[in-house]
Amino acid sequence: MYYYPPLNNMLYMPYGDLKSETLQAIKPFVDYGLLEATSTSYSHALTEVAAIAYLLGKGYDPQTAYKTVESWEMNEKFF
């Protein structure tokens, strides 16, 4: 028989403090998106930040992800 610790056991944290780690990692991009939205649209800013986040998830470093997404823009549009 296998023993699994209960999910509500606060001592068992296989991923450390996932919430704080995640929120700290995305804060610069959220701030960038909010700033970007003041000069473009919320739709454009959210698309840009989501694309950067996607590339980060694929393993790109933040600077490369940002520059890649910026290179896709033509006249502040992606299409």
Side-chain angles (χ1 to χ4, degrees), residues 7-58:
L7 294 177
N8 63 354
N9 180 354
M10 295 307 291
L11 298 176
Y12 179 70
M13 297 181 68
Y15 300 107
D17 190 1
L18 188 59
K19 177 182 173 183
S20 292
E21 182 182 333
T22 302
L23 294 176
Q24 286 178 354
I26 67 164
K27 183 169 180 10
F29 303 104
V30 171
D31 293 343
Y32 169 74
L34 291 171
L35 181 63
E36 182 79 2
T38 62
S39 61
T40 60
S41 68
Y42 282 105
S43 176
H44 177 88
L46 286 171
T47 301
E48 194 166 329
V49 171
I52 292 169
Y54 178 80
L55 292 177
L56 290 171
K58 299 280 281 181

Side-chain angles (χ1 to χ4, degrees), residues 47-48 51-52 55 64-73 78:
T47 301
E48 194 166 329
I52 292 169
L55 292 177
T64 302
Y66 168 78
K67 287 181 176 182
T68 300
V69 173
E70 283 292 320
S71 76
W72 295 340
E73 290 183 70
F78 291 110

